[in-house]
mmCIF file of all heavy atoms in Angstrom:
data_model
loop_
_atom_site.group_PDB
_atom_site.id
_atom_site.type_symbol
_atom_site.label_atom_id
_atom_site.label_comp_id
_atom_site.label_asym_id
_atom_site.label_seq_id
_atom_site.Cartn_x
_atom_site.Cartn_y
_atom_site.Cartn_z
ATOM 1 N N VAL F 6 3.861 -16.770 33.002
ATOM 2 C CA VAL F 6 3.519 -18.191 33.063
ATOM 3 C C VAL F 6 4.146 -18.893 31.874
ATOM 4 O O VAL F 6 4.464 -18.231 30.856
ATOM 5 C CB VAL F 6 1.985 -18.370 33.039
ATOM 6 C CG1 VAL F 6 1.398 -17.955 31.704
ATOM 7 C CG2 VAL F 6 1.566 -19.788 33.393
ATOM 8 N N ASN F 7 4.360 -20.179 32.004
ATOM 9 C CA ASN F 7 4.860 -20.971 30.874
ATOM 10 C C ASN F 7 3.782 -20.941 29.787
ATOM 11 O O ASN F 7 2.690 -21.490 29.973
ATOM 12 C CB ASN F 7 5.137 -22.407 31.294
ATOM 13 C CG ASN F 7 5.734 -23.239 30.174
ATOM 14 O OD1 ASN F 7 5.701 -22.852 29.011
ATOM 15 N ND2 ASN F 7 6.291 -24.362 30.530
ATOM 16 N N ILE F 8 4.106 -20.315 28.673
ATOM 17 C CA ILE F 8 3.063 -20.127 27.656
ATOM 18 C C ILE F 8 2.672 -21.444 26.987
ATOM 19 O O ILE F 8 1.638 -21.497 26.313
ATOM 20 C CB ILE F 8 3.459 -19.061 26.608
ATOM 21 C CG1 ILE F 8 4.698 -19.477 25.841
ATOM 22 C CG2 ILE F 8 3.627 -17.708 27.279
ATOM 23 C CD1 ILE F 8 5.031 -18.522 24.711
ATOM 24 N N LEU F 9 3.429 -22.484 27.183
ATOM 25 C CA LEU F 9 3.032 -23.780 26.650
ATOM 26 C C LEU F 9 1.851 -24.357 27.435
ATOM 27 O O LEU F 9 1.227 -25.340 26.997
ATOM 28 C CB LEU F 9 4.197 -24.750 26.672
ATOM 29 C CG LEU F 9 5.368 -24.377 25.780
ATOM 30 C CD1 LEU F 9 6.486 -25.421 25.873
ATOM 31 C CD2 LEU F 9 4.932 -24.211 24.337
ATOM 32 N N SER F 10 1.548 -23.748 28.596
ATOM 33 C CA SER F 10 0.425 -24.233 29.423
ATOM 34 C C SER F 10 -0.870 -23.474 29.147
ATOM 35 O O SER F 10 -1.903 -23.817 29.734
ATOM 36 C CB SER F 10 0.786 -24.099 30.899
ATOM 37 O OG SER F 10 0.839 -22.737 31.291
ATOM 38 N N VAL F 11 -0.830 -22.470 28.291
ATOM 39 C CA VAL F 11 -2.054 -21.682 28.055
ATOM 40 C C VAL F 11 -2.835 -22.286 26.907
ATOM 41 O O VAL F 11 -2.303 -23.025 26.080
ATOM 42 C CB VAL F 11 -1.712 -20.193 27.793
ATOM 43 C CG1 VAL F 11 -0.872 -19.633 28.920
ATOM 44 C CG2 VAL F 11 -1.036 -19.997 26.445
ATOM 45 N N ASN F 12 -4.113 -21.923 26.878
ATOM 46 C CA ASN F 12 -5.004 -22.439 25.838
ATOM 47 C C ASN F 12 -5.034 -21.557 24.585
ATOM 48 O O ASN F 12 -5.400 -21.991 23.500
ATOM 49 C CB ASN F 12 -6.431 -22.563 26.380
ATOM 50 C CG ASN F 12 -6.477 -23.385 27.644
ATOM 51 O OD1 ASN F 12 -6.718 -22.859 28.725
ATOM 52 N ND2 ASN F 12 -6.246 -24.677 27.524
ATOM 53 N N PHE F 13 -4.679 -20.293 24.789
ATOM 54 C CA PHE F 13 -4.725 -19.336 23.691
ATOM 55 C C PHE F 13 -3.738 -18.234 23.972
ATOM 56 O O PHE F 13 -3.561 -17.830 25.146
ATOM 57 C CB PHE F 13 -6.131 -18.736 23.557
ATOM 58 C CG PHE F 13 -6.220 -17.642 22.527
ATOM 59 C CD1 PHE F 13 -6.602 -17.937 21.217
ATOM 60 C CD2 PHE F 13 -5.935 -16.312 22.832
ATOM 61 C CE1 PHE F 13 -6.680 -16.951 20.241
ATOM 62 C CE2 PHE F 13 -6.015 -15.310 21.876
ATOM 63 C CZ PHE F 13 -6.389 -15.640 20.572
ATOM 64 N N MET F 14 -3.058 -17.742 22.940
ATOM 65 C CA MET F 14 -2.229 -16.561 23.055
ATOM 66 C C MET F 14 -2.227 -15.833 21.720
ATOM 67 O O MET F 14 -1.997 -16.446 20.688
ATOM 68 C CB MET F 14 -0.798 -16.887 23.480
ATOM 69 C CG MET F 14 0.034 -15.677 23.819
ATOM 70 S SD MET F 14 1.533 -16.150 24.681
ATOM 71 C CE MET F 14 2.120 -14.525 25.239
ATOM 72 N N GLY F 15 -2.498 -14.546 21.781
ATOM 73 C CA GLY F 15 -2.550 -13.790 20.555
ATOM 74 C C GLY F 15 -2.451 -12.301 20.790
ATOM 75 O O GLY F 15 -2.322 -11.843 21.936
ATOM 76 N N TRP F 16 -2.485 -11.556 19.688
ATOM 77 C CA TRP F 16 -2.428 -10.111 19.712
ATOM 78 C C TRP F 16 -3.708 -9.554 19.129
ATOM 79 O O TRP F 16 -4.161 -9.964 18.054
ATOM 80 C CB TRP F 16 -1.249 -9.607 18.862
ATOM 81 C CG TRP F 16 0.097 -9.798 19.456
ATOM 82 C CD1 TRP F 16 0.947 -10.822 19.278
ATOM 83 C CD2 TRP F 16 0.751 -8.893 20.360
ATOM 84 N NE1 TRP F 16 2.081 -10.635 20.005
ATOM 85 C CE2 TRP F 16 2.007 -9.458 20.665
ATOM 86 C CE3 TRP F 16 0.408 -7.657 20.923
ATOM 87 C CZ2 TRP F 16 2.927 -8.832 21.533
ATOM 88 C CZ3 TRP F 16 1.324 -7.034 21.759
ATOM 89 C CH2 TRP F 16 2.549 -7.621 22.051
ATOM 90 N N TYR F 17 -4.267 -8.580 19.843
ATOM 91 C CA TYR F 17 -5.417 -7.830 19.383
ATOM 92 C C TYR F 17 -4.998 -6.363 19.193
ATOM 93 O O TYR F 17 -3.974 -5.934 19.736
ATOM 94 C CB TYR F 17 -6.541 -7.860 20.425
ATOM 95 C CG TYR F 17 -7.270 -9.156 20.558
ATOM 96 C CD1 TYR F 17 -6.707 -10.274 21.166
ATOM 97 C CD2 TYR F 17 -8.586 -9.276 20.077
ATOM 98 C CE1 TYR F 17 -7.405 -11.461 21.290
ATOM 99 C CE2 TYR F 17 -9.293 -10.461 20.191
ATOM 100 C CZ TYR F 17 -8.695 -11.535 20.819
ATOM 101 O OH TYR F 17 -9.398 -12.708 20.938
ATOM 102 N N ARG F 18 -5.817 -5.637 18.463
ATOM 103 C CA ARG F 18 -5.600 -4.205 18.414
ATOM 104 C C ARG F 18 -6.978 -3.506 18.432
ATOM 105 O O ARG F 18 -7.994 -4.068 18.034
ATOM 106 C CB ARG F 18 -4.838 -3.776 17.158
ATOM 107 C CG ARG F 18 -5.615 -3.880 15.863
ATOM 108 C CD ARG F 18 -4.751 -3.465 14.685
ATOM 109 N NE ARG F 18 -5.447 -3.656 13.407
ATOM 110 C CZ ARG F 18 -4.828 -3.698 12.240
ATOM 111 N NH1 ARG F 18 -3.501 -3.566 12.190
ATOM 112 N NH2 ARG F 18 -5.514 -3.874 11.148
ATOM 113 N N GLN F 19 -6.923 -2.271 18.933
ATOM 114 C CA GLN F 19 -8.145 -1.468 18.989
ATOM 115 C C GLN F 19 -7.844 -0.102 18.409
ATOM 116 O O GLN F 19 -7.036 0.657 18.988
ATOM 117 C CB GLN F 19 -8.693 -1.348 20.394
ATOM 118 C CG GLN F 19 -10.022 -0.677 20.477
ATOM 119 C CD GLN F 19 -10.736 -0.944 21.790
ATOM 120 O OE1 GLN F 19 -10.106 -1.317 22.785
ATOM 121 N NE2 GLN F 19 -12.033 -0.753 21.813
ATOM 122 N N ALA F 20 -8.428 0.184 17.271
ATOM 123 C CA ALA F 20 -8.269 1.514 16.655
ATOM 124 C C ALA F 20 -9.257 2.469 17.276
ATOM 125 O O ALA F 20 -10.296 2.047 17.819
ATOM 126 C CB ALA F 20 -8.493 1.410 15.145
ATOM 127 N N PRO F 21 -9.001 3.763 17.197
ATOM 128 C CA PRO F 21 -9.913 4.746 17.785
ATOM 129 C C PRO F 21 -11.317 4.586 17.230
ATOM 130 O O PRO F 21 -11.514 4.544 16.006
ATOM 131 C CB PRO F 21 -9.287 6.078 17.385
ATOM 132 C CG PRO F 21 -7.845 5.787 17.199
ATOM 133 C CD PRO F 21 -7.789 4.382 16.641
ATOM 134 N N GLY F 22 -12.283 4.478 18.116
ATOM 135 C CA GLY F 22 -13.684 4.378 17.701
ATOM 136 C C GLY F 22 -14.097 3.029 17.149
ATOM 137 O O GLY F 22 -15.226 2.875 16.664
ATOM 138 N N LYS F 23 -13.212 2.046 17.227
ATOM 139 C CA LYS F 23 -13.545 0.721 16.675
ATOM 140 C C LYS F 23 -13.441 -0.329 17.749
ATOM 141 O O LYS F 23 -12.847 -0.123 18.822
ATOM 142 C CB LYS F 23 -12.586 0.397 15.518
ATOM 143 C CG LYS F 23 -12.781 1.297 14.302
ATOM 144 C CD LYS F 23 -11.987 0.790 13.139
ATOM 145 C CE LYS F 23 -12.224 1.651 11.906
ATOM 146 N NZ LYS F 23 -11.451 1.158 10.731
ATOM 147 N N GLN F 24 -14.011 -1.502 17.447
ATOM 148 C CA GLN F 24 -13.946 -2.617 18.385
ATOM 149 C C GLN F 24 -12.553 -3.257 18.330
ATOM 150 O O GLN F 24 -11.843 -3.180 17.312
ATOM 151 C CB GLN F 24 -15.009 -3.652 18.024
ATOM 152 C CG GLN F 24 -16.433 -3.220 18.323
ATOM 153 C CD GLN F 24 -17.415 -4.367 18.175
ATOM 154 O OE1 GLN F 24 -17.215 -5.245 17.350
ATOM 155 N NE2 GLN F 24 -18.470 -4.356 18.961
ATOM 156 N N ARG F 25 -12.214 -3.903 19.415
ATOM 157 C CA ARG F 25 -10.956 -4.635 19.474
ATOM 158 C C ARG F 25 -11.042 -5.826 18.514
ATOM 159 O O ARG F 25 -12.053 -6.521 18.471
ATOM 160 C CB ARG F 25 -10.720 -5.116 20.900
ATOM 161 C CG ARG F 25 -9.308 -5.515 21.215
ATOM 162 C CD ARG F 25 -9.105 -5.774 22.688
ATOM 163 N NE ARG F 25 -9.251 -4.551 23.466
ATOM 164 C CZ ARG F 25 -8.957 -4.491 24.774
ATOM 165 N NH1 ARG F 25 -8.529 -5.550 25.414
ATOM 166 N NH2 ARG F 25 -9.133 -3.337 25.428
ATOM 167 N N GLU F 26 -9.963 -6.039 17.746
ATOM 168 C CA GLU F 26 -9.964 -7.126 16.783
ATOM 169 C C GLU F 26 -8.699 -7.983 16.951
ATOM 170 O O GLU F 26 -7.624 -7.461 17.281
ATOM 171 C CB GLU F 26 -10.027 -6.590 15.354
ATOM 172 C CG GLU F 26 -8.879 -5.688 14.952
ATOM 173 C CD GLU F 26 -8.848 -5.342 13.475
ATOM 174 O OE1 GLU F 26 -9.547 -5.992 12.678
ATOM 175 O OE2 GLU F 26 -8.101 -4.405 13.119
ATOM 176 N N LEU F 27 -8.853 -9.265 16.647
ATOM 177 C CA LEU F 27 -7.722 -10.185 16.687
ATOM 178 C C LEU F 27 -6.892 -9.995 15.416
ATOM 179 O O LEU F 27 -7.453 -10.083 14.321
ATOM 180 C CB LEU F 27 -8.211 -11.614 16.816
ATOM 181 C CG LEU F 27 -7.151 -12.713 16.823
ATOM 182 C CD1 LEU F 27 -6.266 -12.592 18.055
ATOM 183 C CD2 LEU F 27 -7.812 -14.088 16.762
ATOM 184 N N VAL F 28 -5.606 -9.742 15.571
ATOM 185 C CA VAL F 28 -4.751 -9.608 14.399
ATOM 186 C C VAL F 28 -3.859 -10.813 14.173
ATOM 187 O O VAL F 28 -3.517 -11.118 13.015
ATOM 188 C CB VAL F 28 -3.902 -8.297 14.423
ATOM 189 C CG1 VAL F 28 -4.781 -7.081 14.372
ATOM 190 C CG2 VAL F 28 -2.995 -8.254 15.634
ATOM 191 N N ALA F 29 -3.466 -11.482 15.234
ATOM 192 C CA ALA F 29 -2.609 -12.645 15.058
ATOM 193 C C ALA F 29 -2.686 -13.504 16.324
ATOM 194 O O ALA F 29 -2.842 -12.977 17.421
ATOM 195 C CB ALA F 29 -1.167 -12.236 14.814
ATOM 196 N N ARG F 30 -2.585 -14.797 16.137
ATOM 197 C CA ARG F 30 -2.487 -15.679 17.298
ATOM 198 C C ARG F 30 -1.386 -16.687 17.021
ATOM 199 O O ARG F 30 -1.043 -16.978 15.882
ATOM 200 C CB ARG F 30 -3.804 -16.376 17.577
ATOM 201 C CG ARG F 30 -4.231 -17.368 16.515
ATOM 202 C CD ARG F 30 -5.453 -18.158 16.961
ATOM 203 N NE ARG F 30 -5.868 -19.103 15.934
ATOM 204 C CZ ARG F 30 -6.851 -19.982 16.064
ATOM 205 N NH1 ARG F 30 -7.537 -20.032 17.201
ATOM 206 N NH2 ARG F 30 -7.159 -20.804 15.104
ATOM 207 N N ILE F 31 -0.842 -17.250 18.115
ATOM 208 C CA ILE F 31 0.209 -18.236 17.985
ATOM 209 C C ILE F 31 -0.118 -19.531 18.710
ATOM 210 O O ILE F 31 0.453 -20.576 18.405
ATOM 211 C CB ILE F 31 1.577 -17.643 18.475
ATOM 212 C CG1 ILE F 31 2.728 -18.547 18.103
ATOM 213 C CG2 ILE F 31 1.508 -17.367 19.970
ATOM 214 C CD1 ILE F 31 4.083 -17.903 18.255
ATOM 215 N N ILE F 32 -1.016 -19.482 19.654
ATOM 216 C CA ILE F 32 -1.469 -20.659 20.378
ATOM 217 C C ILE F 32 -2.982 -20.655 20.308
ATOM 218 O O ILE F 32 -3.615 -19.637 20.650
ATOM 219 C CB ILE F 32 -0.986 -20.642 21.852
ATOM 220 C CG1 ILE F 32 0.545 -20.679 21.912
ATOM 221 C CG2 ILE F 32 -1.586 -21.823 22.618
ATOM 222 C CD1 ILE F 32 1.097 -20.460 23.297
ATOM 223 N N PRO F 33 -3.637 -21.745 19.936
ATOM 224 C CA PRO F 33 -3.066 -23.057 19.636
ATOM 225 C C PRO F 33 -2.473 -23.179 18.244
ATOM 226 O O PRO F 33 -1.696 -24.104 17.982
ATOM 227 C CB PRO F 33 -4.259 -23.980 19.800
ATOM 228 C CG PRO F 33 -5.433 -23.134 19.427
ATOM 229 C CD PRO F 33 -5.105 -21.757 19.922
ATOM 230 N N LEU F 34 -2.870 -22.295 17.337
ATOM 231 C CA LEU F 34 -2.333 -22.317 15.981
ATOM 232 C C LEU F 34 -1.888 -20.915 15.609
ATOM 233 O O LEU F 34 -2.340 -19.936 16.196
ATOM 234 C CB LEU F 34 -3.410 -22.783 14.984
ATOM 235 C CG LEU F 34 -3.986 -24.173 15.183
ATOM 236 C CD1 LEU F 34 -5.177 -24.366 14.224
ATOM 237 C CD2 LEU F 34 -2.940 -25.241 14.938
ATOM 238 N N THR F 35 -1.041 -20.846 14.596
ATOM 239 C CA THR F 35 -0.629 -19.534 14.108
ATOM 240 C C THR F 35 -1.501 -19.152 12.929
ATOM 241 O O THR F 35 -1.590 -19.890 11.946
ATOM 242 C CB THR F 35 0.839 -19.566 13.667
ATOM 243 O OG1 THR F 35 1.657 -19.923 14.798
ATOM 244 C CG2 THR F 35 1.277 -18.189 13.143
ATOM 245 N N ASN F 36 -2.143 -18.014 13.073
ATOM 246 C CA ASN F 36 -2.836 -17.454 11.908
ATOM 247 C C ASN F 36 -3.019 -15.943 12.111
ATOM 248 O O ASN F 36 -2.740 -15.416 13.179
ATOM 249 C CB ASN F 36 -4.165 -18.159 11.586
ATOM 250 C CG ASN F 36 -5.107 -18.216 12.752
ATOM 251 O OD1 ASN F 36 -5.024 -17.419 13.669
ATOM 252 N ND2 ASN F 36 -6.025 -19.165 12.698
ATOM 253 N N TYR F 37 -3.470 -15.296 11.040
ATOM 254 C CA TYR F 37 -3.494 -13.841 10.975
ATOM 255 C C TYR F 37 -4.797 -13.333 10.391
ATOM 256 O O TYR F 37 -5.424 -13.997 9.575
ATOM 257 C CB TYR F 37 -2.338 -13.337 10.094
ATOM 258 C CG TYR F 37 -0.977 -13.785 10.526
ATOM 259 C CD1 TYR F 37 -0.427 -14.976 10.057
ATOM 260 C CD2 TYR F 37 -0.223 -13.040 11.428
ATOM 261 C CE1 TYR F 37 0.833 -15.420 10.482
ATOM 262 C CE2 TYR F 37 1.020 -13.461 11.853
ATOM 263 C CZ TYR F 37 1.536 -14.644 11.377
ATOM 264 O OH TYR F 37 2.781 -15.058 11.787
ATOM 265 N N ALA F 38 -5.129 -12.123 10.795
ATOM 266 C CA ALA F 38 -6.248 -11.451 10.138
ATOM 267 C C ALA F 38 -5.846 -11.143 8.692
ATOM 268 O O ALA F 38 -4.664 -10.918 8.416
ATOM 269 C CB ALA F 38 -6.586 -10.154 10.870
ATOM 270 N N ASP F 39 -6.816 -11.144 7.809
ATOM 271 C CA ASP F 39 -6.521 -10.881 6.403
ATOM 272 C C ASP F 39 -5.835 -9.536 6.213
ATOM 273 O O ASP F 39 -4.990 -9.389 5.327
ATOM 274 C CB ASP F 39 -7.812 -10.912 5.591
ATOM 275 C CG ASP F 39 -8.372 -12.308 5.431
ATOM 276 O OD1 ASP F 39 -7.615 -13.285 5.645
ATOM 277 O OD2 ASP F 39 -9.558 -12.459 5.093
ATOM 278 N N SER F 40 -6.178 -8.554 7.046
ATOM 279 C CA SER F 40 -5.638 -7.201 6.878
ATOM 280 C C SER F 40 -4.152 -7.108 7.180
ATOM 281 O O SER F 40 -3.490 -6.137 6.791
ATOM 282 C CB SER F 40 -6.403 -6.232 7.774
ATOM 283 O OG SER F 40 -6.304 -6.626 9.141
#
């Protein structure tokens, strides 16, 4: 899909035995997890 039409886009990761966490997003804003 045209990513300019989405409300959110980002990257998550899930380490073994841990919850999924947001590491970076680009839509609507760009920001990163402190780690």
Side-chain angles (χ1 to χ4, degrees):
V6 68
N7 183 345
I8 62 174
L9 296 181
S10 70
V11 305
N12 305 110
F13 175 92
M14 189 165 190
W16 285 94
Y17 287 74
R18 71 182 175 198
Q19 188 163 19
K23 294 189 177 181
Q24 288 190 329
R25 197 171 294 189
E26 61 171 345
L27 178 65
V28 295
R30 67 173 180 176
I31 191 166
I32 298 171
L34 299 172
T35 300
N36 55 23
Y37 303 90
D39 288 343
S40 59

